[in-house]
Each structure stands twice: as structure tokens, then as C-alpha cells.
Amino acid sequence: MTLLETRGLSRRYGGVTAVNDVSFRLEQGEIRSIIGPNGAGKTTFVSMICGRIPPSGGAVFFEDHDITNMSPWKRVMRGIVYTFQITSIYPKLTLRENVALAVQRRLTAKPGLHLSLSPDALDAAIDEALSAVGLNNEADRLAGVLPYGHQRLLELAMGLALKPSLLVLDEPTQGLAPGDIQPFCDLIRRTAKTSTILFIEHNLKVVLDLADRITVMDRGAILAEGTPAEIERHPAVQQAYLGD
Ligand SMILES: Nc1ncnc2c1ncn2[C@@H]1O[C@H](COP(=O)(O)OP(=O)(O)OP(=O)(O)O)[C@@H](O)[C@H]1O
Ligand SMILES: [Mg+2]
């Protein structure tokens, strides 16, 4: 079943076309990686999927509904949850408070809905999310004292607490210590049992390890798409991306 589809999605910035007429499909249950050189339009593309940036043209469909003009918060309520390249935690709050705040803030976007989450249910959601990323023993520490890589994991926990049906990650392994990469991959694989995953990633080892399918972007367009084995031997891909 197709979970997400874009049709002719474009975004221009003045004279620059960051994303050019991209039609794309994501099947439910997939782990999909988007790769491509710097400036290829990857972040702009997923930002339009999440509603952070309005498209200049084209449309986005989620579960067959046109969500092109839907606010980011409404998309979260529909199950599209994202973390981005820039970390957005609150350093002077504890990990537990950060996750609670993320849940509350997103839930209150829909009037009345926050009332349906009891304090016990909220606690359980926080514990589950922090355990998933291995930070449950640090729940009462201040987020600001965590190493950067762990702040990224905290952000992921903030997303997981919302039980996403589509989790969108922009360069999630950036800043992770080498020893944290394998646990991160294991976490994504566990998460993929209940969520579809769309992640932008520069670390090809992580991509080839995790992705069911890979979409290669270059100059605002999709250059190639396929399984890791297909992408590795695609001549245009080797030239444009893997070769450099
Ligand atoms: N807010 C903006 N204003 C003007 N130009 C922008 C803006 N955001 C992105 N661009 C331009 O759009 C193009 C695509 O940028 P984007 O950030 O989507 O690329 P990317 O593939 O995510 O790159 P990276 O791998 O470096 O994160 C680039 O040429 C970039 O300079
Ligand atoms: Mg980017």
C-alpha cells in the first residue's frame, strides 16, 4: 500500500529551483533512504512532505489524502513525525520534560485532544520513548549536559513518543560517535516494525545497511531509485555520487 506520494513537487527560491517536479512514492512499512550530494534538494523535499516549507508547485498525498496545504501540526496528528538537521531540544529541561513537552505541544495543536492523554499514559509514553533510544537512565538529567550525539537521540525519542506512522529523519547519524552508529541502526530497525521510515543520510554504510530502497537526488530531481544492490551498480549514481 502506498503511504505517501508526491506529484510534481517543486520548490523555487528566487532563481534557484531546489526541488524540480519530483514525483515519488513510499510504500507502507519501508525503510527508505534519500541520498545525494550537498544542495541536491533533499532537505527541501522532505520539508515539503512535513509541511515546514510550502511547495511552489505540485502536491503531497498521505494515505490517499491531499495534505499539500495542511499545517505541520496537523500532519503530526496524522502520524507524520520528523526530526531535522538542527537540534531543537530545551537544554535547561530534563530529558523527561523535553519528551513531555514535545508530546504536549504537538497534541495541543488539536484542541481538546491533550485531555485524552492521562498523566500515567504520558509517563508511560515518555519511559517507552527514552528506553527505545537507550536514554532511560538519564531521564532526570538536564538535556543541555548531554553529548551532542545523545541530544540527537533525545530528539528521536521526542518523535517516537508520538508513535509515528511515518518517521522522517534528516541526517540522523550526523554527530553521532562511531560507537553510537550501530545502536542507532538497531533502533531504526526496531522502529520500522511499527513505522515507515524516510531518512536522509550521508553515511553510505548506514544507508546500505538499513534501507529497503534508496532514492538518489541530484540537482532537485530524482536521479535513480532502487534497492541498495541496484543503486550501488547504477552508472549514473556512481558518477554523480558514489564516485566522488
Ligand atoms: N531558505 C532557502 N533560501 C534560498 N535557497 C535555499 C534555501 N533552502 C535551500 N536553498 C537552496 O536549495 C538547494 C537545495 O538545498 P537543500 O538544503 O534542500 O539541499 P540538501 O540536499 O539537503 O543539501 P545538504 O546535503 O547539504 O543538506 C540549494 O541550492 C540551497 O542553497
Ligand atoms: Mg539537507
Side-chain angles (χ1 to χ4, degrees), residues 197-235:
I197 312 256
L198 176 62
F199 75 113
I200 298 173
E201 181 59 62
H202 279 293
N203 183 333
L204 274 185
K205 198 169 167 297
V206 171
V207 170
L208 296 173
D209 182 29
L210 278 181
D212 298 314
R213 291 178 71 77
I214 298 170
T215 298
V216 187
M217 285 189 73
D218 189 25
R219 281 169 277 178
I222 293 177
L223 178 70
E225 208 164 72
T227 62
E230 287 165 347
I231 293 303
E232 270 188 303
R233 61 173 181 257
H234 195 292

PDB file of all heavy atoms in Angstrom, residues 197-235:
ATOM      1  N   ILE A 197       9.797   4.470   7.530  1.00  0.00           N
ATOM      2  CA  ILE A 197      10.916   5.383   7.806  1.00  0.00           C
ATOM      3  C   ILE A 197      11.415   6.004   6.497  1.00  0.00           C
ATOM      4  O   ILE A 197      11.674   5.284   5.528  1.00  0.00           O
ATOM      5  CB  ILE A 197      12.099   4.636   8.451  1.00  0.00           C
ATOM      6  CG1 ILE A 197      11.624   3.746   9.596  1.00  0.00           C
ATOM      7  CG2 ILE A 197      13.207   5.617   8.835  1.00  0.00           C
ATOM      8  CD1 ILE A 197      11.871   4.194  10.958  1.00  0.00           C
ATOM      9  N   LEU A 198      11.548   7.322   6.520  1.00  0.00           N
ATOM     10  CA  LEU A 198      12.147   8.046   5.390  1.00  0.00           C
ATOM     11  C   LEU A 198      13.292   8.857   5.957  1.00  0.00           C
ATOM     12  O   LEU A 198      13.068   9.738   6.792  1.00  0.00           O
ATOM     13  CB  LEU A 198      11.089   8.967   4.772  1.00  0.00           C
ATOM     14  CG  LEU A 198      11.547   9.875   3.626  1.00  0.00           C
ATOM     15  CD1 LEU A 198      12.032   9.070   2.427  1.00  0.00           C
ATOM     16  CD2 LEU A 198      10.413  10.815   3.209  1.00  0.00           C
ATOM     17  N   PHE A 199      14.531   8.511   5.562  1.00  0.00           N
ATOM     18  CA  PHE A 199      15.648   9.237   6.169  1.00  0.00           C
ATOM     19  C   PHE A 199      16.692   9.662   5.145  1.00  0.00           C
ATOM     20  O   PHE A 199      17.054   8.934   4.235  1.00  0.00           O
ATOM     21  CB  PHE A 199      16.274   8.447   7.329  1.00  0.00           C
ATOM     22  CG  PHE A 199      17.141   7.278   6.946  1.00  0.00           C
ATOM     23  CD1 PHE A 199      18.509   7.290   7.188  1.00  0.00           C
ATOM     24  CD2 PHE A 199      16.581   6.148   6.350  1.00  0.00           C
ATOM     25  CE1 PHE A 199      19.316   6.203   6.846  1.00  0.00           C
ATOM     26  CE2 PHE A 199      17.379   5.058   6.006  1.00  0.00           C
ATOM     27  CZ  PHE A 199      18.745   5.087   6.258  1.00  0.00           C
ATOM     28  N   ILE A 200      17.135  10.910   5.336  1.00  0.00           N
ATOM     29  CA  ILE A 200      18.221  11.466   4.529  1.00  0.00           C
ATOM     30  C   ILE A 200      19.513  11.086   5.234  1.00  0.00           C
ATOM     31  O   ILE A 200      19.619  11.237   6.444  1.00  0.00           O
ATOM     32  CB  ILE A 200      18.121  13.002   4.460  1.00  0.00           C
ATOM     33  CG1 ILE A 200      16.816  13.425   3.787  1.00  0.00           C
ATOM     34  CG2 ILE A 200      19.334  13.588   3.747  1.00  0.00           C
ATOM     35  CD1 ILE A 200      16.571  14.933   3.850  1.00  0.00           C
ATOM     36  N   GLU A 201      20.481  10.588   4.466  1.00  0.00           N
ATOM     37  CA  GLU A 201      21.689  10.125   5.149  1.00  0.00           C
ATOM     38  C   GLU A 201      22.899  10.253   4.240  1.00  0.00           C
ATOM     39  O   GLU A 201      22.833   9.908   3.063  1.00  0.00           O
ATOM     40  CB  GLU A 201      21.468   8.659   5.574  1.00  0.00           C
ATOM     41  CG  GLU A 201      22.601   8.013   6.318  1.00  0.00           C
ATOM     42  CD  GLU A 201      22.976   8.732   7.602  1.00  0.00           C
ATOM     43  OE1 GLU A 201      22.131   8.816   8.508  1.00  0.00           O
ATOM     44  OE2 GLU A 201      24.119   9.213   7.700  1.00  0.00           O
ATOM     45  N   HIS A 202      23.987  10.762   4.805  1.00  0.00           N
ATOM     46  CA  HIS A 202      25.236  10.854   4.036  1.00  0.00           C
ATOM     47  C   HIS A 202      26.139   9.646   4.268  1.00  0.00           C
ATOM     48  O   HIS A 202      27.028   9.380   3.457  1.00  0.00           O
ATOM     49  CB  HIS A 202      25.991  12.137   4.395  1.00  0.00           C
ATOM     50  CG  HIS A 202      25.471  13.347   3.686  1.00  0.00           C
ATOM     51  ND1 HIS A 202      25.583  13.517   2.323  1.00  0.00           N
ATOM     52  CD2 HIS A 202      24.820  14.437   4.135  1.00  0.00           C
ATOM     53  CE1 HIS A 202      25.025  14.664   1.965  1.00  0.00           C
ATOM     54  NE2 HIS A 202      24.545  15.240   3.061  1.00  0.00           N
ATOM     55  N   ASN A 203      25.947   8.947   5.392  1.00  0.00           N
ATOM     56  CA  ASN A 203      26.791   7.795   5.712  1.00  0.00           C
ATOM     57  C   ASN A 203      26.297   6.578   4.916  1.00  0.00           C
ATOM     58  O   ASN A 203      25.302   5.943   5.247  1.00  0.00           O
ATOM     59  CB  ASN A 203      26.728   7.531   7.217  1.00  0.00           C
ATOM     60  CG  ASN A 203      27.632   6.385   7.650  1.00  0.00           C
ATOM     61  OD1 ASN A 203      27.910   5.486   6.871  1.00  0.00           O
ATOM     62  ND2 ASN A 203      28.076   6.434   8.895  1.00  0.00           N
ATOM     63  N   LEU A 204      27.037   6.273   3.830  1.00  0.00           N
ATOM     64  CA  LEU A 204      26.573   5.222   2.907  1.00  0.00           C
ATOM     65  C   LEU A 204      26.517   3.854   3.546  1.00  0.00           C
ATOM     66  O   LEU A 204      25.706   3.017   3.176  1.00  0.00           O
ATOM     67  CB  LEU A 204      27.486   5.173   1.685  1.00  0.00           C
ATOM     68  CG  LEU A 204      27.119   6.131   0.569  1.00  0.00           C
ATOM     69  CD1 LEU A 204      28.015   5.889  -0.629  1.00  0.00           C
ATOM     70  CD2 LEU A 204      25.655   5.983   0.163  1.00  0.00           C
ATOM     71  N   LYS A 205      27.377   3.635   4.529  1.00  0.00           N
ATOM     72  CA  LYS A 205      27.368   2.348   5.216  1.00  0.00           C
ATOM     73  C   LYS A 205      26.027   2.166   5.926  1.00  0.00           C
ATOM     74  O   LYS A 205      25.405   1.105   5.854  1.00  0.00           O
ATOM     75  CB  LYS A 205      28.528   2.314   6.211  1.00  0.00           C
ATOM     76  CG  LYS A 205      28.896   0.935   6.666  1.00  0.00           C
ATOM     77  CD  LYS A 205      30.217   0.964   7.436  1.00  0.00           C
ATOM     78  CE  LYS A 205      30.419  -0.361   8.171  1.00  0.00           C
ATOM     79  NZ  LYS A 205      29.392  -0.607   9.188  1.00  0.00           N
ATOM     80  N   VAL A 206      25.566   3.228   6.572  1.00  0.00           N
ATOM     81  CA  VAL A 206      24.270   3.190   7.257  1.00  0.00           C
ATOM     82  C   VAL A 206      23.152   2.988   6.245  1.00  0.00           C
ATOM     83  O   VAL A 206      22.248   2.172   6.442  1.00  0.00           O
ATOM     84  CB  VAL A 206      24.055   4.501   8.058  1.00  0.00           C
ATOM     85  CG1 VAL A 206      22.628   4.589   8.591  1.00  0.00           C
ATOM     86  CG2 VAL A 206      25.067   4.599   9.199  1.00  0.00           C
ATOM     87  N   VAL A 207      23.238   3.692   5.131  1.00  0.00           N
ATOM     88  CA  VAL A 207      22.205   3.597   4.087  1.00  0.00           C
ATOM     89  C   VAL A 207      22.111   2.170   3.555  1.00  0.00           C
ATOM     90  O   VAL A 207      21.033   1.577   3.489  1.00  0.00           O
ATOM     91  CB  VAL A 207      22.524   4.567   2.931  1.00  0.00           C
ATOM     92  CG1 VAL A 207      21.620   4.310   1.734  1.00  0.00           C
ATOM     93  CG2 VAL A 207      22.404   6.009   3.402  1.00  0.00           C
ATOM     94  N   LEU A 208      23.278   1.605   3.189  1.00  0.00           N
ATOM     95  CA  LEU A 208      23.278   0.271   2.581  1.00  0.00           C
ATOM     96  C   LEU A 208      22.854  -0.786   3.593  1.00  0.00           C
ATOM     97  O   LEU A 208      22.262  -1.808   3.243  1.00  0.00           O
ATOM     98  CB  LEU A 208      24.670  -0.044   2.007  1.00  0.00           C
ATOM     99  CG  LEU A 208      25.094   0.875   0.853  1.00  0.00           C
ATOM    100  CD1 LEU A 208      26.547   0.616   0.449  1.00  0.00           C
ATOM    101  CD2 LEU A 208      24.164   0.730  -0.354  1.00  0.00           C
ATOM    102  N   ASP A 209      23.137  -0.515   4.848  1.00  0.00           N
ATOM    103  CA  ASP A 209      22.767  -1.445   5.915  1.00  0.00           C
ATOM    104  C   ASP A 209      21.257  -1.421   6.192  1.00  0.00           C
ATOM    105  O   ASP A 209      20.630  -2.453   6.370  1.00  0.00           O
ATOM    106  CB  ASP A 209      23.563  -1.049   7.174  1.00  0.00           C
ATOM    107  CG  ASP A 209      23.295  -1.987   8.331  1.00  0.00           C
ATOM    108  OD1 ASP A 209      22.991  -3.164   8.068  1.00  0.00           O
ATOM    109  OD2 ASP A 209      23.383  -1.548   9.484  1.00  0.00           O
ATOM    110  N   LEU A 210      20.671  -0.225   6.181  1.00  0.00           N
ATOM    111  CA  LEU A 210      19.292  -0.081   6.667  1.00  0.00           C
ATOM    112  C   LEU A 210      18.222  -0.081   5.579  1.00  0.00           C
ATOM    113  O   LEU A 210      17.138  -0.629   5.781  1.00  0.00           O
ATOM    114  CB  LEU A 210      19.153   1.236   7.439  1.00  0.00           C
ATOM    115  CG  LEU A 210      19.581   1.292   8.896  1.00  0.00           C
ATOM    116  CD1 LEU A 210      19.316   2.691   9.436  1.00  0.00           C
ATOM    117  CD2 LEU A 210      18.847   0.254   9.730  1.00  0.00           C
ATOM    118  N   ALA A 211      18.521   0.554   4.477  1.00  0.00           N
ATOM    119  CA  ALA A 211      17.443   0.889   3.537  1.00  0.00           C
ATOM    120  C   ALA A 211      16.914  -0.331   2.784  1.00  0.00           C
ATOM    121  O   ALA A 211      17.681  -1.166   2.299  1.00  0.00           O
ATOM    122  CB  ALA A 211      17.940   1.930   2.536  1.00  0.00           C
ATOM    123  N   ASP A 212      15.602  -0.422   2.658  1.00  0.00           N
ATOM    124  CA  ASP A 212      14.998  -1.372   1.728  1.00  0.00           C
ATOM    125  C   ASP A 212      15.160  -0.850   0.311  1.00  0.00           C
ATOM    126  O   ASP A 212      15.440  -1.594  -0.618  1.00  0.00           O
ATOM    127  CB  ASP A 212      13.498  -1.531   2.018  1.00  0.00           C
ATOM    128  CG  ASP A 212      13.248  -2.092   3.397  1.00  0.00           C
ATOM    129  OD1 ASP A 212      13.927  -3.064   3.768  1.00  0.00           O
ATOM    130  OD2 ASP A 212      12.376  -1.548   4.105  1.00  0.00           O
ATOM    131  N   ARG A 213      14.927   0.451   0.159  1.00  0.00           N
ATOM    132  CA  ARG A 213      15.094   1.106  -1.128  1.00  0.00           C
ATOM    133  C   ARG A 213      15.786   2.448  -0.915  1.00  0.00           C
ATOM    134  O   ARG A 213      15.680   3.042   0.159  1.00  0.00           O
ATOM    135  CB  ARG A 213      13.744   1.342  -1.815  1.00  0.00           C
ATOM    136  CG  ARG A 213      13.071   0.064  -2.271  1.00  0.00           C
ATOM    137  CD  ARG A 213      11.727   0.351  -2.908  1.00  0.00           C
ATOM    138  NE  ARG A 213      11.844   0.999  -4.216  1.00  0.00           N
ATOM    139  CZ  ARG A 213      12.164   0.354  -5.337  1.00  0.00           C
ATOM    140  NH1 ARG A 213      12.417  -0.943  -5.319  1.00  0.00           N
ATOM    141  NH2 ARG A 213      12.233   0.993  -6.480  1.00  0.00           N
ATOM    142  N   ILE A 214      16.462   2.907  -1.976  1.00  0.00           N
ATOM    143  CA  ILE A 214      17.208   4.159  -1.920  1.00  0.00           C
ATOM    144  C   ILE A 214      16.724   5.062  -3.049  1.00  0.00           C
ATOM    145  O   ILE A 214      16.534   4.602  -4.180  1.00  0.00           O
ATOM    146  CB  ILE A 214      18.730   3.900  -2.077  1.00  0.00           C
ATOM    147  CG1 ILE A 214      19.237   3.026  -0.917  1.00  0.00           C
ATOM    148  CG2 ILE A 214      19.503   5.212  -2.149  1.00  0.00           C
ATOM    149  CD1 ILE A 214      20.658   2.518  -1.115  1.00  0.00           C
ATOM    150  N   THR A 215      16.511   6.337  -2.716  1.00  0.00           N
ATOM    151  CA  THR A 215      16.204   7.345  -3.734  1.00  0.00           C
ATOM    152  C   THR A 215      17.406   8.281  -3.802  1.00  0.00           C
ATOM    153  O   THR A 215      17.823   8.822  -2.784  1.00  0.00           O
ATOM    154  CB  THR A 215      14.945   8.140  -3.344  1.00  0.00           C
ATOM    155  OG1 THR A 215      13.844   7.235  -3.275  1.00  0.00           O
ATOM    156  CG2 THR A 215      14.646   9.239  -4.350  1.00  0.00           C
ATOM    157  N   VAL A 216      17.948   8.431  -5.001  1.00  0.00           N
ATOM    158  CA  VAL A 216      19.095   9.321  -5.181  1.00  0.00           C
ATOM    159  C   VAL A 216      18.612  10.626  -5.781  1.00  0.00           C
ATOM    160  O   VAL A 216      17.992  10.632  -6.851  1.00  0.00           O
ATOM    161  CB  VAL A 216      20.152   8.707  -6.121  1.00  0.00           C
ATOM    162  CG1 VAL A 216      21.406   9.583  -6.160  1.00  0.00           C
ATOM    163  CG2 VAL A 216      20.507   7.293  -5.697  1.00  0.00           C
ATOM    164  N   MET A 217      18.893  11.731  -5.101  1.00  0.00           N
ATOM    165  CA  MET A 217      18.542  13.046  -5.640  1.00  0.00           C
ATOM    166  C   MET A 217      19.793  13.758  -6.108  1.00  0.00           C
ATOM    167  O   MET A 217      20.864  13.628  -5.520  1.00  0.00           O
ATOM    168  CB  MET A 217      17.841  13.903  -4.566  1.00  0.00           C
ATOM    169  CG  MET A 217      16.415  13.479  -4.299  1.00  0.00           C
ATOM    170  SD  MET A 217      15.536  14.657  -3.232  1.00  0.00           S
ATOM    171  CE  MET A 217      15.300  16.031  -4.375  1.00  0.00           C
ATOM    172  N   ASP A 218      19.618  14.520  -7.176  1.00  0.00           N
ATOM    173  CA  ASP A 218      20.710  15.341  -7.688  1.00  0.00           C
ATOM    174  C   ASP A 218      20.091  16.544  -8.384  1.00  0.00           C
ATOM    175  O   ASP A 218      19.155  16.378  -9.174  1.00  0.00           O
ATOM    176  CB  ASP A 218      21.563  14.507  -8.666  1.00  0.00           C
ATOM    177  CG  ASP A 218      22.846  15.232  -9.056  1.00  0.00           C
ATOM    178  OD1 ASP A 218      23.312  16.095  -8.283  1.00  0.00           O
ATOM    179  OD2 ASP A 218      23.377  14.944 -10.146  1.00  0.00           O
ATOM    180  N   ARG A 219      20.547  17.715  -8.060  1.00  0.00           N
ATOM    181  CA  ARG A 219      20.051  18.956  -8.662  1.00  0.00           C
ATOM    182  C   ARG A 219      18.526  19.038  -8.680  1.00  0.00           C
ATOM    183  O   ARG A 219      17.907  19.336  -9.695  1.00  0.00           O
ATOM    184  CB  ARG A 219      20.634  19.134 -10.066  1.00  0.00           C
ATOM    185  CG  ARG A 219      22.075  19.659 -10.008  1.00  0.00           C
ATOM    186  CD  ARG A 219      22.752  19.599 -11.343  1.00  0.00           C
ATOM    187  NE  ARG A 219      23.286  18.269 -11.590  1.00  0.00           N
ATOM    188  CZ  ARG A 219      23.909  17.891 -12.689  1.00  0.00           C
ATOM    189  NH1 ARG A 219      24.045  18.728 -13.681  1.00  0.00           N
ATOM    190  NH2 ARG A 219      24.374  16.677 -12.805  1.00  0.00           N
ATOM    191  N   GLY A 220      17.938  18.716  -7.543  1.00  0.00           N
ATOM    192  CA  GLY A 220      16.497  18.921  -7.375  1.00  0.00           C
ATOM    193  C   GLY A 220      15.612  17.841  -7.944  1.00  0.00           C
ATOM    194  O   GLY A 220      14.385  17.931  -7.852  1.00  0.00           O
ATOM    195  N   ALA A 221      16.213  16.797  -8.528  1.00  0.00           N
ATOM    196  CA  ALA A 221      15.404  15.752  -9.157  1.00  0.00           C
ATOM    197  C   ALA A 221      15.842  14.371  -8.674  1.00  0.00           C
ATOM    198  O   ALA A 221      16.912  14.222  -8.073  1.00  0.00           O
ATOM    199  CB  ALA A 221      15.551  15.839 -10.678  1.00  0.00           C
ATOM    200  N   ILE A 222      14.994  13.378  -8.952  1.00  0.00           N
ATOM    201  CA  ILE A 222      15.369  12.003  -8.624  1.00  0.00           C
ATOM    202  C   ILE A 222      16.211  11.454  -9.765  1.00  0.00           C
ATOM    203  O   ILE A 222      15.751  11.358 -10.910  1.00  0.00           O
ATOM    204  CB  ILE A 222      14.124  11.130  -8.371  1.00  0.00           C
ATOM    205  CG1 ILE A 222      13.422  11.624  -7.095  1.00  0.00           C
ATOM    206  CG2 ILE A 222      14.532   9.656  -8.221  1.00  0.00           C
ATOM    207  CD1 ILE A 222      12.134  10.881  -6.765  1.00  0.00           C
ATOM    208  N   LEU A 223      17.443  11.092  -9.420  1.00  0.00           N
ATOM    209  CA  LEU A 223      18.399  10.587 -10.405  1.00  0.00           C
ATOM    210  C   LEU A 223      18.237   9.079 -10.572  1.00  0.00           C
ATOM    211  O   LEU A 223      18.390   8.544 -11.679  1.00  0.00           O
ATOM    212  CB  LEU A 223      19.817  10.912  -9.922  1.00  0.00           C
ATOM    213  CG  LEU A 223      20.997  10.443 -10.755  1.00  0.00           C
ATOM    214  CD1 LEU A 223      21.053  11.230 -12.053  1.00  0.00           C
ATOM    215  CD2 LEU A 223      22.292  10.633  -9.974  1.00  0.00           C
ATOM    216  N   ALA A 224      17.944   8.389  -9.483  1.00  0.00           N
ATOM    217  CA  ALA A 224      17.790   6.933  -9.529  1.00  0.00           C
ATOM    218  C   ALA A 224      17.049   6.469  -8.291  1.00  0.00           C
ATOM    219  O   ALA A 224      17.004   7.177  -7.280  1.00  0.00           O
ATOM    220  CB  ALA A 224      19.154   6.259  -9.585  1.00  0.00           C
ATOM    221  N   GLU A 225      16.465   5.284  -8.409  1.00  0.00           N
ATOM    222  CA  GLU A 225      15.752   4.722  -7.277  1.00  0.00           C
ATOM    223  C   GLU A 225      15.855   3.209  -7.376  1.00  0.00           C
ATOM    224  O   GLU A 225      15.773   2.653  -8.474  1.00  0.00           O
ATOM    225  CB  GLU A 225      14.279   5.148  -7.347  1.00  0.00           C
ATOM    226  CG  GLU A 225      13.607   5.232  -6.012  1.00  0.00           C
ATOM    227  CD  GLU A 225      12.306   6.027  -6.126  1.00  0.00           C
ATOM    228  OE1 GLU A 225      11.343   5.506  -6.705  1.00  0.00           O
ATOM    229  OE2 GLU A 225      12.280   7.167  -5.650  1.00  0.00           O
ATOM    230  N   GLY A 226      16.049   2.529  -6.257  1.00  0.00           N
ATOM    231  CA  GLY A 226      16.117   1.075  -6.313  1.00  0.00           C
ATOM    232  C   GLY A 226      16.606   0.486  -5.016  1.00  0.00           C
ATOM    233  O   GLY A 226      16.756   1.192  -4.011  1.00  0.00           O
ATOM    234  N   THR A 227      16.850  -0.824  -5.048  1.00  0.00           N
ATOM    235  CA  THR A 227      17.379  -1.496  -3.864  1.00  0.00           C
ATOM    236  C   THR A 227      18.838  -1.073  -3.692  1.00  0.00           C
ATOM    237  O   THR A 227      19.465  -0.573  -4.648  1.00  0.00           O
ATOM    238  CB  THR A 227      17.336  -3.024  -4.053  1.00  0.00           C
ATOM    239  OG1 THR A 227      18.186  -3.350  -5.166  1.00  0.00           O
ATOM    240  CG2 THR A 227      15.916  -3.506  -4.322  1.00  0.00           C
ATOM    241  N   PRO A 228      19.401  -1.298  -2.502  1.00  0.00           N
ATOM    242  CA  PRO A 228      20.819  -0.968  -2.322  1.00  0.00           C
ATOM    243  C   PRO A 228      21.699  -1.606  -3.395  1.00  0.00           C
ATOM    244  O   PRO A 228      22.596  -0.942  -3.933  1.00  0.00           O
ATOM    245  CB  PRO A 228      21.119  -1.526  -0.924  1.00  0.00           C
ATOM    246  CG  PRO A 228      19.822  -1.398  -0.188  1.00  0.00           C
ATOM    247  CD  PRO A 228      18.759  -1.690  -1.218  1.00  0.00           C
ATOM    248  N   ALA A 229      21.432  -2.861  -3.755  1.00  0.00           N
ATOM    249  CA  ALA A 229      22.262  -3.524  -4.776  1.00  0.00           C
ATOM    250  C   ALA A 229      22.126  -2.828  -6.126  1.00  0.00           C
ATOM    251  O   ALA A 229      23.118  -2.626  -6.837  1.00  0.00           O
ATOM    252  CB  ALA A 229      21.859  -4.995  -4.893  1.00  0.00           C
ATOM    253  N   GLU A 230      20.905  -2.426  -6.482  1.00  0.00           N
ATOM    254  CA  GLU A 230      20.695  -1.733  -7.764  1.00  0.00           C
ATOM    255  C   GLU A 230      21.384  -0.372  -7.767  1.00  0.00           C
ATOM    256  O   GLU A 230      21.992   0.027  -8.769  1.00  0.00           O
ATOM    257  CB  GLU A 230      19.194  -1.547  -8.016  1.00  0.00           C
ATOM    258  CG  GLU A 230      18.480  -2.835  -8.402  1.00  0.00           C
ATOM    259  CD  GLU A 230      16.952  -2.731  -8.297  1.00  0.00           C
ATOM    260  OE1 GLU A 230      16.429  -1.760  -7.698  1.00  0.00           O
ATOM    261  OE2 GLU A 230      16.282  -3.641  -8.794  1.00  0.00           O
ATOM    262  N   ILE A 231      21.282   0.329  -6.660  1.00  0.00           N
ATOM    263  CA  ILE A 231      21.859   1.677  -6.597  1.00  0.00           C
ATOM    264  C   ILE A 231      23.384   1.617  -6.645  1.00  0.00           C
ATOM    265  O   ILE A 231      24.026   2.419  -7.323  1.00  0.00           O
ATOM    266  CB  ILE A 231      21.368   2.415  -5.330  1.00  0.00           C
ATOM    267  CG1 ILE A 231      19.865   2.682  -5.424  1.00  0.00           C
ATOM    268  CG2 ILE A 231      22.141   3.715  -5.104  1.00  0.00           C
ATOM    269  CD1 ILE A 231      19.435   3.471  -6.647  1.00  0.00           C
ATOM    270  N   GLU A 232      23.945   0.643  -5.980  1.00  0.00           N
ATOM    271  CA  GLU A 232      25.409   0.532  -5.962  1.00  0.00           C
ATOM    272  C   GLU A 232      25.986   0.352  -7.362  1.00  0.00           C
ATOM    273  O   GLU A 232      27.084   0.807  -7.641  1.00  0.00           O
ATOM    274  CB  GLU A 232      25.834  -0.665  -5.091  1.00  0.00           C
ATOM    275  CG  GLU A 232      26.056  -0.294  -3.648  1.00  0.00           C
ATOM    276  CD  GLU A 232      26.671  -1.454  -2.873  1.00  0.00           C
ATOM    277  OE1 GLU A 232      26.061  -2.545  -2.853  1.00  0.00           O
ATOM    278  OE2 GLU A 232      27.755  -1.260  -2.305  1.00  0.00           O
ATOM    279  N   ARG A 233      25.231  -0.346  -8.246  1.00  0.00           N
ATOM    280  CA  ARG A 233      25.809  -0.597  -9.575  1.00  0.00           C
ATOM    281  C   ARG A 233      25.238   0.322 -10.670  1.00  0.00           C
ATOM    282  O   ARG A 233      25.517   0.135 -11.841  1.00  0.00           O
ATOM    283  CB  ARG A 233      25.645  -2.069  -9.961  1.00  0.00           C
ATOM    284  CG  ARG A 233      24.218  -2.546 -10.040  1.00  0.00           C
ATOM    285  CD  ARG A 233      24.147  -3.967 -10.598  1.00  0.00           C
ATOM    286  NE  ARG A 233      22.769  -4.375 -10.688  1.00  0.00           N
ATOM    287  CZ  ARG A 233      22.167  -5.200  -9.835  1.00  0.00           C
ATOM    288  NH1 ARG A 233      22.832  -5.728  -8.846  1.00  0.00           N
ATOM    289  NH2 ARG A 233      20.890  -5.485  -9.975  1.00  0.00           N
ATOM    290  N   HIS A 234      24.442   1.314 -10.281  1.00  0.00           N
ATOM    291  CA  HIS A 234      23.856   2.244 -11.253  1.00  0.00           C
ATOM    292  C   HIS A 234      24.941   3.205 -11.759  1.00  0.00           C
ATOM    293  O   HIS A 234      25.532   3.941 -10.971  1.00  0.00           O
ATOM    294  CB  HIS A 234      22.738   3.022 -10.559  1.00  0.00           C
ATOM    295  CG  HIS A 234      21.832   3.736 -11.507  1.00  0.00           C
ATOM    296  ND1 HIS A 234      22.256   4.802 -12.253  1.00  0.00           N
ATOM    297  CD2 HIS A 234      20.531   3.538 -11.816  1.00  0.00           C
ATOM    298  CE1 HIS A 234      21.249   5.241 -12.990  1.00  0.00           C
ATOM    299  NE2 HIS A 234      20.188   4.480 -12.736  1.00  0.00           N
ATOM    300  N   PRO A 235      25.212   3.210 -13.082  1.00  0.00           N
ATOM    301  CA  PRO A 235      26.347   4.013 -13.576  1.00  0.00           C
ATOM    302  C   PRO A 235      26.217   5.506 -13.272  1.00  0.00           C
ATOM    303  O   PRO A 235      27.183   6.139 -12.836  1.00  0.00           O
ATOM    304  CB  PRO A 235      26.344   3.763 -15.084  1.00  0.00           C
ATOM    305  CG  PRO A 235      25.241   2.811 -15.381  1.00  0.00           C
ATOM    306  CD  PRO A 235      24.523   2.466 -14.137  1.00  0.00           C
TER     307      PRO A 235
END
